[in-house]
Amino acid sequence: MAPKSKIARTRNIGIVAHIDAGKTTVSERILFYTGKSYKMGEVHDGEAVMDWMPQEQERGITITSAVTTCAWKNHEIHIIDTPGHVDFTIEVERSLRVLDGAVVVFCAVGGVEPQSETVWHQADKYGVPKIAFINKMDRVGADYFSVIDMMRKRFTSVPVPVQIPAGCEDNFRGVIDLINQKLLIWNDSAQGLEFTSQEIPDEFAEEVRSNREKMIEALAEHDDELADKYLAGKEITTGEIEKAIRNATISLKIVPVLCGAALRNKGIQPILDAVVNFLPSPEDIPPVKGMNPITKKEEVRQCSDKEPLAALAFKIMLDEGRKLAYLRIYSGQIQAGGEIYNVVKKRKEKIARLLLMHANKRERIEKASAGDIVAVLGLKDTSTGDTLCAEKSPIILERIEFYEPVISQAIEAKTPGDQEKLSVALDKLLDEDPTLRVKYEEETAQTVISGMGELHLEIIVDRLQREFNARVNVGRPRVVYREAIQKQAEAEGLFERELGEKKHFAQVRVSLTPRKRGMGNEIIIMTDESIIPAEFHEAISEGIKEAAMSGTLNGYPVTDVGAAVTGGSFKESESSVQAYKIAAAAAFREAFGKAEPVLLEPIMMVDVITPAEFMGDVIGDINARRGEIQAVNPRGIISEIKAKVPLKALFGYSTDLRSATQGRATFSMIFLQYDKA
């Protein structure tokens, strides 16, 4: 067999899961067994390599996605360990956007939890092939097959177990590999570094036979050659099974399922084997698509060093005050010291240094090529979602979608010295975090920060004080409202004035109609060019967009409004861009005031998992918070409650829920939509 190319031996994978399923514990074991770390860090001791931020170590959770590179069986694996908390879901979104495969970790007791559903659907949105690892098989209440059952019900992909556990809870001994029909037992005294492959004991023989049969049947549905052999009753080799699993996984037909107990060091090496054997290399995924900004036509870039450069900046991070940009290179090559073109900002950037990242440690490299994930120092103007390419062959790759913030908080500097530090710090944090918004309010002389949730803002404030030494006073969290309209209305804006020596004239008629919730704003220019020449159309759109930033009720942003420019007039030599901008904004504001404006508040989808005996109390409490129960799913001793609740009613909910359920219930929430307050 010809030796595989470097690209074919590369894997770009993410480890994703619900909070507390054990993602970071799995990542730490992977680094230890691939020789990247000389000792295993534990999350509960605050020593995990991948959770290197002080805020992560104190809270025992992952906040920012850490990138690392390790080697396994002559393959180079780039791993991104992502957060599980819903406030940091953008970190997962932007990681999945640039990854070729994902390992989804589930807890054998909790099963498919709300946030693991969210990340699964995010992976589906970007067409990312997955393998599933069911962790914590040694915990009381662990049930491998019930988790697989939940996966079948909740996801469109088909879970196919390629391993089954040998025992569970206290009797969890090891893992049975259905492909090679072997029992894998780990040596407890060697930190799980050593494991033996044994013959399958008789007590498991029947279970192995029936599960292996089911695995081959599932594969036969997607592989004609395998189906023919299976129906003819011929022997199927392990090589044929592995090939069929790989093809079906990469084409998103199936998800291979493995199991283990990461904290007990059991079951990690087979995950690495599965990553190498079943997940795609950059060559196996469809070539990346983008738009040529000059011809406006779609173009593709094959994953090859020979193609022109195309790379996506998917994350910006600050490191000792310097800006570090993480790039996924889809095609072409980059060199340390070379130049690179930011097609979105239309600027050339210089690569000062190229780095291979290992969480927050790094290794300098001279060049990087297609398929790599690297960090670059020296890109001054690049922000998240920008495309970097060859200036002679420009291409813009699909941007990353960002979420709108739903919660805000006023902060003010304690002293004038802190004020200076605060402005610098916020600029840097804005670069890093696309879901953070900052606005200065003239009337109150306060700075307002907005984000994805209470924890998100808490971490931002903590970082301002700790990393940037900016001491601030913090107001109470507040909800970010929106304004919309309830009926159609139209108005006319006229601007006629002499500024300096020159006359300025513009007349614009704007008609507003309400749109369906969640559809956002739309601007259409319906006038003939003889009424308003095309050169002023952009200025009119800009005027309307600026006016929509603050409604007439309370000055909140306007949403779900359709604005149509239906008429107006112009005067040769007097009409100007500025005049049309002002006239359009005035017309919009007047029409908005006539259209019965209404305040909208953010509604969250809340998912509570509670012991069954507290179900009545939890539902009663949700109703008292103006919530609407959407579904109640009993799952044996625990129940899951899904409800729509206004965000305003959820401040302090975690404390109230804990006290109502003796600390035994957990909840997660995600923004659903804006609705009438």
Side-chain angles (χ1 to χ4, degrees):
M1 230 173 98
K4 289 190 193 163
S5 68
K6 174 184 177 288
I7 295 179
R9 294 197 321 275
T10 301
R11 299 286 179 276
N12 291 314
I13 62 155
I15 298 183
V16 296
H18 184 85
I19 193 163
D20 274 350
K23 277 181 318 307
T24 301
T25 307
V26 170
S27 310
E28 291 299 317
R29 301 299 181 270
I30 286 176
L31 297 183
F32 183 64
Y33 298 141
T34 55
K36 261 293 171 191
S37 318
Y38 59 90
K39 77 184 249 283
M40 280 186 276
E42 299 298 0
V43 177
H44 50 261
D45 301 336
E47 284 185 356
V49 178
M50 298 298 259
D51 286 353
W52 54 271
M53 283 170 70
Q55 292 82 356
E56 295 178 311
Q57 290 164 357
E58 285 160 17
R59 291 174 174 79
I61 61 167
T62 306
I63 292 167
T64 151
S65 45
V67 181
T68 192
T69 306
C70 58
W72 184 255
K73 297 194 173 166
N74 200 20
H75 284 67
E76 186 174 286
I77 305 176
H78 303 272
I79 300 174
I80 300 186
D81 174 29
T82 63
H85 196 288
V86 64
D87 281 15
F88 308 106
T89 192
I90 184 65
E91 286 286 336
V92 185
E93 178 93 17
R94 59 181 172 187
S95 302
L96 286 169
R97 167 71 178 81
V98 298
L99 290 170
D100 306 330
V103 177
V104 189
V105 182
F106 294 97
C107 166
V109 185
V112 179
E113 293 168 287
Q115 189 59 14
S116 44
E117 271 189 75
T118 309
V119 296
W120 192 280
H121 296 315
Q122 283 174 314
D124 281 347
K125 173 167 132 190
Y126 291 119
V128 176
K130 299 170 275 293
I131 53 180
F133 176 69
I134 297 179
N135 190 19
K136 306 192 180 182
M137 283 306 306
D138 55 329
R139 287 264 305 275
V140 176
D143 187 338
Y144 182 65
F145 291 103
S146 107
V147 179
I148 291 173
D149 218 42
M150 284 174 79
M151 289 165 73
R152 274 200 190 99
K153 288 185 183 133
R154 305 230 174 155
F155 304 137
T156 47
S157 355
V158 181
V160 176
V162 294
Q163 292 180 345
I164 57 171
C168 69
E169 301 187 352
D170 291 346
N171 304 322
F172 177 64
R173 287 160 44 193
V175 166
I176 295 170
D177 174 354
L178 296 176
I179 304 171
N180 298 299
Q181 304 189 69
K182 290 285 186 217
L183 167 66
L184 309 177
I185 299 281
W186 275 264
N187 176 352
D188 287 341
S189 61
Q191 285 192 300
L193 273 169
E194 297 162 16
F195 64 99
T196 53
S197 173
Q198 307 173 1
E199 290 308 312
I200 290 168
D202 294 345
E203 59 185 291
F204 294 115
E206 184 45 41
E207 199 186 345
V208 169
R209 195 196 58 73
S210 78
N211 278 296
R212 191 169 196 264
E213 191 92 345
K214 283 181 192 158
M215 171 181 80
I216 292 173
E217 277 174 17
L219 293 173
E221 283 183 27
H222 308 295
D223 190 310
D224 296 343
E225 276 178 47
L226 198 79
D228 294 343
K229 281 189 97 167
Y230 174 64
L231 293 170
K234 289 182 185 162
E235 186 56 40
I236 295 168
T237 65
T238 54
E240 288 169 325
I241 293 176
E242 285 186 345
K243 187 180 159 200
I245 295 175
R246 180 180 178 82
N247 292 339
T249 304
I250 291 174
S251 56
L252 306 175
K253 304 278 194 317
I254 69 158
V255 175
V257 185
L258 300 90
C259 60
L263 200 59
R264 302 273 166 277
N265 309 321
K266 293 178 179 170
I268 301 298
Q269 291 91 338
I271 299 179
L272 286 160
D273 289 340
V275 165
V276 165
N277 294 336
F278 307 143
L279 288 179
S281 76
E283 281 179 346
D284 298 320
I285 54 165
V288 69
K289 292 186 178 129
M291 186 193 71
N292 181 323
I294 298 162
T295 63
K296 302 279 186 246
K297 288 202 171 85
E298 188 176 83
E299 290 185 7
V300 294
R301 291 277 189 275
Q302 302 290 339
C303 180
S304 152
D305 299 356
K306 310 279 182 290
E307 291 255 317
L309 175 71
L312 186 78
F314 66 94
K315 180 178 161 75
I316 302 293
M317 215 176 90
L318 288 177
D319 185 70
E320 293 166 6
R322 288 180 309 177
K323 189 164 157 182
L324 202 59
Y326 283 90
L327 306 187
R328 162 71 200 261
I329 304 172
Y330 287 100
S331 62
Q333 291 186 321
I334 55 175
Q335 306 270 349
E339 275 197 340
I340 193 168
Y341 182 62
N342 182 332
V343 61
V344 179
K345 303 283 190 323
K346 301 190 174 76
R347 290 216 175 116
K348 279 185 184 169
E349 296 258 44
K350 192 158 167 58
I351 298 171
R353 279 189 196 169
L354 267 184
L355 306 165
L356 255 191
M357 296 306 289
H358 174 46
N360 62 336
K361 299 191 180 66
R362 63 204 45 182
E363 169 192 340
R364 279 181 75 166
I365 50 175
E366 283 313 304
K367 68 170 195 176
S369 48
D372 286 342
I373 290 181
V374 290
V376 178
L377 275 171
L379 307 184
K380 292 192 174 66
D381 298 312
T382 298
S383 38
T384 304
D386 285 359
T387 302
L388 298 150
C389 61
E391 196 174 358
K392 292 195 174 83
S393 331
I395 185 169
I396 298 181
L397 303 176
E398 181 199 353
R399 302 266 331 203
I400 299 170
E401 286 179 30
F402 299 133
Y403 300 90
E404 285 300 310
V406 291
I407 181 170
S408 68
Q409 197 167 27
I411 55 173
E412 53 191 16
K414 288 190 172 175
T415 66
D418 288 322
Q419 181 58 48
E420 270 176 45
K421 289 180 193 161
L422 180 64
S423 330
V424 173
L426 285 173
D427 280 348
K428 291 188 170 171
L429 289 174
L430 278 171
D431 253 353
E432 224 178 84
D433 184 349
T435 54
L436 176 68
R437 300 278 191 283
V438 174
K439 187 172 146 199
Y440 184 72
E441 288 193 349
E442 294 289 339
E443 301 115 62
T444 54
Q446 282 176 324
T447 302
V448 176
I449 54 172
S450 311
M452 302 301 294
E454 285 183 87
L455 180 65
H456 185 195
L457 296 185
E458 191 187 307
I459 301 275
I460 293 287
V461 170
D462 190 30
R463 289 187 62 190
L464 283 173
Q465 305 194 342
R466 207 184 289 202
E467 269 173 57
F468 299 98
N469 267 338
R471 293 171 311 148
V472 290
N473 297 320
V474 182
R476 288 185 54 188
R478 296 181 305 189
V479 173
V480 177
Y481 291 94
R482 292 277 185 274
E483 294 184 23
I485 56 174
Q486 299 181 81
K487 65 171 200 183
Q488 195 176 358
E490 65 175 352
E492 201 163 80
L494 177 68
F495 184 82
E496 210 169 0
R497 201 175 289 171
E498 218 170 283
L499 298 173
E501 298 293 294
K502 193 176 176 327
K503 278 186 175 170
H504 289 263
F505 172 85
Q507 187 178 22
V508 180
R509 191 163 190 78
V510 174
S511 168
L512 302 185
T513 36
R515 300 184 80 200
K516 245 176 78 181
R517 287 284 160 268
M519 282 181 74
N521 297 334
E522 183 184 46
I523 300 170
I524 306 170
I525 296 188
M526 296 166 74
T527 57
D528 199 86
E529 285 200 21
S530 59
I531 298 170
I532 300 174
E535 70 211 66
F536 300 119
H537 290 184
E538 199 172 315
I540 292 173
S541 295
E542 269 179 35
I544 292 174
K545 274 184 200 151
E546 278 177 23
M549 283 178 176
S550 54
T552 56
L553 276 177
N554 290 48
Y556 289 109
V558 170
T559 188
D560 303 337
V561 169
V565 176
T566 53
S569 63
F570 101 111
K571 287 183 184 170
E572 194 76 59
S573 80
E574 283 187 19
S575 286
S576 68
V577 166
Q578 197 54 35
Y580 275 107
K581 207 167 160 182
I582 296 168
F588 179 89
R589 281 196 203 96
E590 193 184 327
F592 191 81
K594 291 181 187 169
E596 284 182 20
V598 59
L599 211 55
L600 304 181
E601 64 178 340
I603 307 291
M604 310 303 277
M605 179 57 91
V606 178
D607 216 311
V608 184
I609 291 176
T610 170
E613 68 254 40
F614 300 115
M615 197 170 79
D617 297 347
V618 172
I619 290 176
D621 181 51
I622 288 172
N623 288 332
R625 292 172 192 269
R626 299 187 287 142
E628 274 175 47
I629 304 290
Q630 301 296 302
V632 177
N633 306 318
R635 292 199 226 148
I637 54 168
I638 57 170
S639 292
E640 179 186 30
I641 301 161
K642 283 180 181 282
K644 286 172 21 179
V645 190
L647 175 63
K648 191 171 184 197
L650 286 167
F651 286 140
Y653 183 54
S654 54
T655 318
D656 296 349
L657 181 68
R658 262 187 233 126
S659 54
T661 59
Q662 298 166 14
R664 287 162 62 196
T666 58
F667 86 103
S668 72
M669 60 176 178
I670 190 161
F671 171 70
L672 181 69
Q673 69 193 68
Y674 274 96
D675 221 331
K676 254 191 191 169

